Every structure is written in structure tokens, then in C-alpha cells.
Amino acid sequence: MADERKYKISWLGEFTDDSIEGKFLADSLSGSAKITAYSALVFGSILGFFFLNSYFTERNTPLFLKTAPIRLVFILISIVVFFISKHITNHKHLIRVITFYQAIMVIIYLLTLKQYDSLNYFSILGLMVITMAIYLLPNKIMFSQFITLTFSILFFVRSNNKLAGLQTHELYRVIAYQTILLIYCNINYCWAETTKRKAFIANRELFDLSSKDPLTGIYNRKKFDDAMDEWISISKKNGNPLSLVLFDIDNFKGVNDNYGHIVGDSVLKEIAVIVSRSIRDVDVFARWGGDEFVILLPKTDLQQAQEIVERIRTRIANSSFATSRGITCSFGVAAYKESDTKQSLLSRVDDLLIQAKLSGKDRVIS
């Protein structure tokens, strides 16, 4: 039920949960940036063809001198958007660029029409083509809606008296066609965005199944191995500190024997919750196997790791569990050395955990 609320999609085709929507946009950033970049290149090239046509047919007329600078500005902006979009690393920045570019499309077209004494059906066709072009760009739907609606109103208000030979009933028909186009673009866009988000949900659920422990909901051993390889590589490259923690539940066999495995499972889940709330987002927390857990602390030296783990140990010891007896944990903590491999680091922290158990349990050895 919680996941259903978290992954709820609005009728606009966006997640109602802002954090999930942000993760979706970040996940799709590369594709959206590429669409924006190459769309800008195509739009700029199309106007470039119009510019060349005007040059060969109207270059000696006052009209060409008026429209040429406007078209050149749009071509230049399209080139700039092409290069900027390819290097954007934040989806919020991409949305700003897209919104700016959509607004420029509208302004340039209206300024171009303003230079003509009279307009024809090609001007109306241009209105519809630009409307569709705006919806091709992967912007937030509300921004695209606002821009296209404003564009349509300004077009009919400012160009009504310039539409040559257009009778009143024909103007109403054009307005109806534009309204139908806007409705179609919105429905198609929302349907496409909803489909993308459903695929995103399916991929996340598949990822959770393959990377998370089904009992506790934290990462499993395979995911932890992958994360450990990655962070060791980063530490070797950048010289950043890295600490590893291995711990288990003291006398856990007695919990299962005396209270049953259902209670034992409950204790495992409660331990996972306590630790998850005590570490940072960047830290990697996983179930190592049975009642053993492991925590990877990136950019954390040994002293900092000891302080973090001591807080975790205290919180576990002071927490109430499903059993009548106190639950404690023993911890081994080791810092990554330049000569370490993954196996050697794991071996050292395992030895430290054994020392903690032999020294009386409910303690941190580093």
C-alpha cells in the first residue's frame, strides 16, 4: 500500500511524490538531454532552410531585412542549446533550458509574423507545427501547456486582422482545430509520460528484487560486493578514507531457540531499521548472512567510523525488541589501507568481530 501511494501517477503523467519524480527525472536525464539537443539542432536547421529560401527569393526586399536577423537569432540560440544540453548534469537545469527554448520558439515566430502585412494559411500551419514541436521537447507538462496556450491566444489576438481572406466562421474553425491539436498533444504527452514512469517503476522493483534482502529490505550480499568493489576503486584513485563494519547479534541462536524463528526474524528487521536510521544515505548497509550485517562507510576514517558504530551499538542496546531480554550486538571496524584487497579488508574486519565476541560481546573492536 505504501509503495502504491509512493508510485502514484497523476493525470498529468507525473509522480505525485516529488522525491520519486526527481529520481525519475534524474534517471532519464541522459535521454532527455539528448532529445533536447538534437531537437534544437533539427529546429534550427529547418529555420535555416527558410532563411536560405528567403535569401534567394527576397534578399533585395525590406521584408528580408526585417525577418533575417530574427531568424538568425533563433538559429544561433538553437546551436547554443544543442551544445549546452549535451553537457547538462542536473535535470532542473535541463528543464530551465527547455522552457527558455520553447518560449524563444514562440517569440521568434510571433516577431516574424509581425513583419508581414498580411498572413495566409501557411501562417496557421506554422502555428500548429510549432505547437507540436513544443510538445516534442521533454519539459514538465505544465510548462508546455502554459507556453502553447499563451502562444495560441497571442497568435489569434495579434494576427486576426492580418489573416487575408479569412471569414469569421473560418477563423472559428481554425481556433477549433488548434484546440483539438492542443487536446491531442496533451493526451498523447501524458500517456507517453505515464508509460515511461510505469517502466521506471517496473525497473526499480526488479532492481529491488535482485539487490535487496527480502526479509529486512536492506541490500543483499551481492549488491554489497559490487558497492565495495566500486568504493575501493574510488579510494585507490582519490585517496579518500574508507571504513568497513561487520557485526552480528549476540546470542541470536538463543533468541530463535527460546522464542521461535518468527520472533528472530522480527529482531533482524528491527535491527535493520535502527541501523538504517543511524547512517548516511551514502553509506552501504547490507545483510551479510544469517544474523551478520555489514556497513561500508565511504569517506570515513577509522576514528569517525568508531564514533558512528558506538552510537549504533548504544541505540541497539537501549532499544526494546519483541523479546523480554535485551538485544546487543558485537562490532568489528577496520579502515581501508592502500595495500588492501577486498578479501584482505573483509578478513581483517572479521577477525576484529571475533575479538569483540571473545572479549565479552556488546562492544566495538577496531
Side-chain angles (χ1 to χ4, degrees):
M1 186 65 70
D3 281 348
E4 289 180 6
R5 288 195 298 268
K6 183 172 66 173
Y7 290 131
K8 185 178 179 182
I9 301 173
S10 71
W11 61 275
L12 289 174
E14 297 177 349
F15 288 116
T16 55
D17 188 302
D18 290 338
S19 64
I20 298 298
E21 179 68 13
K23 290 176 182 176
F24 167 78
L25 292 173
D27 184 72
S28 59
L29 175 64
S30 177
S32 298
K34 189 177 293 185
I35 290 171
T36 303
Y38 288 101
S39 295
L41 194 62
V42 169
F43 298 157
S45 299
I46 291 173
L47 200 64
F49 289 126
F50 277 98
F51 174 81
L52 289 175
N53 178 68
S54 297
Y55 175 78
F56 289 116
T57 59
E58 303 171 344
R59 64 177 179 272
N60 295 321
T61 64
L63 179 61
F64 176 76
L65 296 176
K66 293 178 182 177
T67 58
I70 298 173
R71 288 170 173 166
L72 285 173
V73 167
F74 181 77
I75 293 169
L76 179 61
I77 290 175
S78 296
I79 294 171
V80 172
V81 169
F82 169 75
F83 286 108
I84 289 177
S85 299
K86 292 179 70 175
H87 297 93
I88 283 179
T89 57
N90 185 298
H91 70 270
K92 291 182 179 179
H93 296 163
L94 181 64
I95 288 173
R96 293 190 188 104
V97 170
I98 294 173
T99 304
F100 166 77
Y101 188 59
Q102 288 174 326
I104 288 296
M105 291 170 66
V106 169
I107 293 169
I108 291 296
Y109 188 65
L110 292 176
L111 285 176
T112 302
L113 293 184
K114 187 178 180 181
Q115 312 310 315
Y116 288 84
D117 295 327
S118 63
L119 306 177
N120 52 34
Y121 282 105
F122 286 107
S123 305
I124 297 170
L125 182 61
L127 164 70
M128 295 182 173
V129 169
I130 291 173
T131 298
M132 294 182 69
I134 288 172
Y135 279 99
L136 287 176
L137 293 166
N139 198 0
K140 290 183 73 67
I141 182 65
M142 293 184 66
F143 295 158
S144 295
Q145 287 174 334
F146 175 78
I147 290 172
T148 51
L149 184 60
T150 303
F151 178 36
S152 301
I153 293 171
L154 290 175
F155 176 86
F156 289 112
V157 169
R158 298 178 66 86
S159 305
N160 183 25
N161 58 351
K162 289 187 177 184
L163 291 169
L166 199 66
Q167 298 181 15
T168 302
H169 72 277
E170 293 175 320
L171 176 63
Y172 291 153
R173 188 177 297 172
V174 171
I175 293 173
Y177 288 154
Q178 177 65 5
T179 302
I180 292 170
L181 178 63
L182 286 171
I183 293 172
Y184 166 77
C185 287
N186 275 279
I187 292 174
N188 183 68
Y189 188 91
C190 292
W191 176 82
E193 291 301 304
T194 298
T195 302
K196 290 177 186 177
R197 282 160 178 79
K198 286 181 178 178
F200 174 76
I201 293 170
N203 289 335
R204 281 179 67 92
E205 290 176 343
L206 184 61
F207 173 79
D208 286 346
L209 286 173
S210 64
S211 65
K212 291 191 176 180
D213 173 56
L215 176 64
T216 60
I218 61 176
Y219 288 132
N220 58 26
R221 185 164 181 166
K222 181 183 181 303
K223 173 62 179 177
F224 185 85
D225 281 339
D226 294 340
M228 192 170 175
D229 287 334
E230 181 181 350
W231 280 109
I232 285 177
S233 177
I234 292 172
S235 292
K236 281 184 178 179
K237 182 179 179 181
N238 301 329
N240 295 328
L242 177 68
S243 294
L244 181 65
V245 182
L246 182 65
F247 72 95
D248 69 4
I249 303 173
D250 297 328
N251 306 312
F252 185 68
K253 185 178 182 300
V255 174
N256 283 329
D257 291 343
N258 295 326
Y259 300 96
H261 288 279
I262 293 177
V263 172
D265 288 348
S266 175
V267 171
L268 291 171
K269 288 189 280 188
E270 290 178 64
I271 291 286
V273 170
I274 293 170
V275 177
S276 296
R277 291 174 177 173
S278 304
I279 59 177
R280 306 162 300 181
D281 290 339
V282 71
D283 300 331
V284 185
F285 178 38
R287 187 179 178 191
W288 193 244
D291 65 320
E292 283 191 321
F293 296 86
V294 64
I295 311 171
L296 193 65
L297 301 171
K299 300 180 180 179
T300 306
D301 60 30
L302 187 59
Q303 182 178 349
Q304 293 169 325
Q306 286 175 301
E307 293 172 357
I308 293 170
V309 174
E310 185 58 37
R311 286 199 300 270
I312 293 172
R313 186 199 64 78
T314 303
R315 287 174 185 174
I316 292 172
N318 293 336
S319 295
S320 298
F321 290 86
T323 65
S324 59
R325 56 181 290 172
I327 298 294
T328 61
C329 292
S330 299
F331 298 80
V333 184
Y336 170 75
K337 298 176 182 178
E338 191 174 348
S339 59
D340 268 329
T341 63
K342 180 170 72 173
Q343 288 71 26
S344 66
L345 180 57
L346 284 167
S347 178
R348 283 198 293 115
V349 79
D350 189 43
D351 290 341
L352 291 166
L353 173 58
I354 293 172
Q355 288 183 38
K357 304 292 280 187
L358 295 175
S359 300
K361 304 176 183 179
D362 188 22
R363 64 194 61 216
V364 178
I365 299 292
S366 60

